[in-house]
Amino acid sequence: MSTEELPPRESMEFDVVIVGAGPSGLGAAIRLKQLNPELSVVVVEKGSEVGAHILSGAVMDPVALDKLIPDWREDADCPLKTEVKDDRFYWFTETKAIKLPNFIMPPLMNNHHCYIGSLGRLCRWLAGKAEALGVEIYPGFAATEVLYDDKGAVRGIATGDMGVAKDGSHKASFTRGMELCGKYTLFAEGARGSLTKQLVAKFSLDANSQPPKFGIGLKEVWQIDPSKHQKGLVQ
């Protein structure tokens, strides 16, 4: 089946379309509804559920959350429960760990105002807050195409077609993706967003920017003796 033979997509209109149900996308959706409850806001998320594509463990600065949901500490369902009580930094050799004094560390290494928790669980909690305000959230729908109007401005996104075999042929279950159009489209895809990369290139959004900086993070999950666990310790 050629592209010309594909049936037209169904289209839905919103005030704001948000791509990505991470902290930024959900935070923006919540703030928009706080400012104007009448706005129609939709969030699409490629993960099978909200939080599925989020790095799970993290040390989080609550400064933005304090502004967005000031009473989050009183919410029994909020997953951020453990405040950082102690920072320890070590220099490792082959045989020993040498503790470094905290005063020589830059201010950004001070975590004492932060909380330890699962960012995935935090996103699921934020999704509940957003839905309670009337935000529509569609997990399991990847935004695969940017839609433009006749003037070249972004008018929304299209989700991917369903029921496509590995060889590109269409299964009996084939259904076309949806067009989600908005007065504003917010791309909150994260550091490796494919549509964001297309927009950066198309509109030269990085023309007056410094080259991007990249880092590699390694994550290990350790099981330790519960008797050795110290709540609130970042080491």
Side-chain angles (χ1 to χ4, degrees):
M1 183 182 288
S2 66
T3 303
E4 290 73 25
E5 296 172 329
L6 289 174
R9 299 186 182 104
E10 291 187 30
S11 180
M12 299 175 67
E13 297 283 340
F14 298 88
D15 289 314
V16 183
V17 177
I18 299 175
V19 182
S24 297
L26 292 170
I30 290 170
R31 187 62 183 140
L32 286 167
K33 294 294 279 188
Q34 288 174 343
L35 293 171
N36 185 354
E38 300 304 315
L39 288 175
S40 58
V41 181
V42 65
V43 180
V44 291
E45 164 58 38
K46 65 182 179 181
S48 58
E49 63 176 355
V50 173
H53 284 259
I54 296 292
L55 185 67
S56 60
V59 177
M60 288 165 266
D61 188 334
V63 61
L65 195 57
D66 285 337
K67 294 180 179 179
L68 185 69
I69 306 174
D71 61 348
W72 64 269
R73 290 173 179 82
E74 285 73 55
D75 189 324
D77 295 326
C78 182
L80 294 186
K81 304 294 185 186
T82 304
E83 189 174 359
V84 175
K85 298 298 184 183
D86 192 9
D87 277 325
R88 299 179 191 174
F89 303 94
Y90 294 88
W91 176 266
F92 287 164
T93 71
E94 289 186 7
T95 58
K96 63 180 68 175
I98 302 169
K99 190 174 187 303
L100 302 176
N102 285 36
F103 72 85
I104 69 171
M105 308 305 294
L108 63 87
M109 303 297 284
N110 177 14
N111 296 299
H112 277 240
H113 58 295
C114 297
Y115 282 75
I116 303 165
S118 164
L119 202 52
R121 290 179 60 197
L122 180 66
C123 285
R124 286 189 282 275
W125 176 76
L126 287 172
K129 294 292 185 184
E131 289 178 324
L133 293 171
V135 176
E136 295 184 45
I137 301 177
Y138 298 142
F141 289 89
T144 59
E145 181 183 345
V146 181
L147 304 176
Y148 302 93
D149 63 18
D150 53 7
K151 295 180 180 179
V154 174
R155 66 180 182 90
I157 58 94
T159 62
D161 296 335
M162 308 291 283
V164 180
K166 289 183 179 180
D167 62 0
S169 62
H170 296 164
K171 303 177 183 178
S173 59
F174 176 79
T175 55
R176 291 229 65 190
M178 292 282 296
E179 288 189 358
L180 302 177
C181 300
K183 298 173 183 175
Y184 297 92
T185 306
L186 173 62
F187 293 86
E189 297 179 289
R192 297 181 59 82
S194 56
L195 298 186
T196 301
K197 289 181 180 179
Q198 295 175 25
L199 292 165
V200 169
K202 180 179 178 65
F203 296 108
S204 301
L205 299 178
D206 57 350
N208 299 315
S209 302
Q210 295 180 345
K213 298 178 181 179
F214 297 90
I216 296 177
L218 303 178
K219 178 182 177 182
E220 293 183 347
V221 179
W222 289 16
Q223 287 186 328
I224 64 170
D225 184 343
S227 66
K228 296 181 180 180
H229 176 256
Q230 297 181 48
K231 188 174 182 178
L233 169 63
V234 174
Q235 184 168 282

